């Protein structure tokens, strides 16, 4: 029986999606990306879920796109099949916080998938690279766009043009990852972080995510205006009024995600 390309589980208000092609170091083929996209959208629509974790295994988050599947494709194959855009971009439609928990290799498309998440928690064993240049290819799932925004042009050029690999400490120092945790503690630490996030008001989390993403994609003046409208909209939120009243009463807020 063929293994399922992903595994899913829930821990309270946190959903966990595990990439599940261990024999291929979780190489990202169409079946896996279709399944990942469907799971992301399902959890995004589930009112009982407040945050989503995407992870792999101890050896690899994902070793990249499945080269064996791609080797004989023509331009018309990828153009007519809408390669990358059709299913890799599904994660951009997810409004809830998505955290990548990375151990081992996050190479090529695996690194790009991690960068498409909202945060990256890296185990000490994590290794990040965009080595497509070695195949006379280029990072085509957002790598040349997200990496400079994360670590700056000079470091991004170095990684993309030379295929340089970053270890977890370097990735943390350059700003590619949010935090580094001990090997063996990756999932526990990430679940604790996700649970902390998911306990907050979901509409506020979604507004913050949308506002921060706008900072990447718009001029400062437009981003400030967008942020201001989001702040004003909080005053229409039951959770915001509950949060302020709880603060004044020195009690824990009871958020209803409204």
């Amino acid at each position: 029986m063929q293994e399922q390309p992903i595994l899913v589980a829930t821990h309270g208000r946190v959903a966990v999606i595990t990439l599940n092609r261990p024999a291929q170091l979780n190489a990202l083929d169409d079946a896996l990306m279709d399944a990942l996209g469907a799971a992301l959208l399902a959890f995004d629509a589930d009112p009982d879920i407040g945050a989503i974790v995407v992870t792999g295994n101890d050896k690899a988050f994902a070793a990249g796109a499945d080269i064996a599947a791609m080797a004989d494709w023509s331009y018309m194959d990828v153009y007519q099949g809408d390669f990358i855009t059709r299913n890799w971009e599904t994660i951009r439609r997810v409004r809830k916080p998505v955290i990548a928990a990375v151990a081992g290799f996050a190479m090529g498309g695996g690194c790009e998938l991690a960068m498409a998440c909202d945060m990256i928690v890296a185990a000490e064993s994590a290794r990040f690279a965009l080595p497509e240049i070695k195949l006379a290819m280029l990072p085509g799932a957002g790598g040349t766009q997200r990496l400079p925004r994360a670590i700056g042009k000079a470091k991004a050029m170095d990684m993309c043009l030379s295929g340089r690999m970053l270890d977890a400490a370097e990735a943390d120092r350059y700003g590619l990852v949010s935090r580094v945790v001990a090997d063996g503690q990756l999932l526990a630490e990430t679940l604790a972080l996700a649970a902390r996030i998911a306990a907050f008001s979901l509409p506020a989390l979604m507004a913050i995510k949308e506002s921060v993403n706008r900072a990447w994609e718009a001029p400062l003046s437009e981003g400030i205006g967008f942020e201001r409208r989001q702040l004003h909209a909080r005053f229409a939120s039951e959770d915001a009024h509950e949060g302020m009243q709880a603060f004044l009463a020195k009690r824990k807020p009871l958020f209803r995600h409204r």
Side-chain angles (χ1 to χ4, degrees):
M1 178 179 289
Q2 187 175 3
E3 289 183 321
Q4 295 297 313
I6 64 166
L7 304 174
V8 298
T10 57
H11 302 263
R13 288 185 54 79
V14 177
V16 179
I17 304 172
T18 303
L19 309 182
N20 188 44
R21 300 186 72 207
Q24 296 82 21
L25 295 178
N26 292 331
L28 306 172
D29 63 1
D30 265 350
L32 188 152
M33 296 309 294
D34 285 343
L36 174 60
L40 285 168
L41 294 179
F43 285 129
D44 200 37
D46 187 340
D48 294 326
I49 295 299
I52 304 168
V53 173
V54 179
T55 192
N57 56 50
D58 291 343
K59 291 184 178 180
F61 175 73
D66 192 337
I67 304 302
M70 298 165 49
D72 296 325
W73 288 351
S74 69
Y75 173 77
M76 279 301 157
D77 290 331
V78 296
Y79 180 69
Q80 293 182 334
D82 208 16
F83 179 50
I84 299 294
T85 308
R86 183 182 66 80
N87 48 11
W88 288 60
E89 292 289 307
T90 304
I91 195 168
R92 297 183 63 192
R93 295 159 53 192
V94 179
R95 302 177 69 195
K96 295 174 181 176
V98 181
I99 304 172
V102 178
F105 294 114
M107 310 288 285
C111 183
E112 291 174 299
L113 174 59
M115 288 192 293
C117 297
D118 300 309
M119 301 169 63
I120 302 175
V121 178
E124 292 173 342
S125 66
R127 298 293 182 268
F128 301 88
L130 293 174
E132 287 87 350
I133 187 62
K134 298 178 182 179
L135 305 179
M137 296 290 282
L138 62 81
T144 65
Q145 304 305 300
R146 291 190 176 99
L147 189 63
R149 287 168 165 81
I151 69 175
K153 177 183 175 182
K155 299 295 187 186
M157 282 289 192
D158 189 356
M159 288 183 68
C160 291
L161 296 179
S162 73
R164 178 185 177 191
M165 183 183 296
L166 300 184
D167 63 24
E170 288 176 306
D172 186 31
R173 191 162 66 248
Y174 295 162
L176 181 60
V177 306
S178 302
R179 58 185 74 182
V180 177
V181 301
D183 291 333
Q185 293 298 311
L186 176 64
L187 190 56
E189 294 276 359
T190 308
L191 285 175
L193 171 62
R196 174 179 171 80
I197 291 171
F200 294 123
S201 168
L202 181 57
L205 292 172
M206 293 162 67
I208 290 170
K209 173 174 174 171
E210 192 172 6
S211 297
V212 173
N213 282 335
R214 183 62 63 100
W216 275 37
E217 298 173 1
L220 177 61
S221 58
E222 181 181 332
I224 290 292
F226 183 84
E227 176 191 77
R228 200 61 35 76
R229 295 289 81 75
Q230 291 285 7
L231 173 63
H232 292 171
R234 293 295 83 225
F235 288 86
S237 164
E238 293 179 14
D239 284 346
H241 289 283
E242 164 64 11
M244 290 185 284
Q245 291 298 325
F247 175 82
L248 293 173
K250 296 182 173 56
R251 60 174 175 81
K252 185 176 180 179
L254 179 61
F255 293 130
R256 300 185 184 277
H257 310 291
R258 298 175 59 86

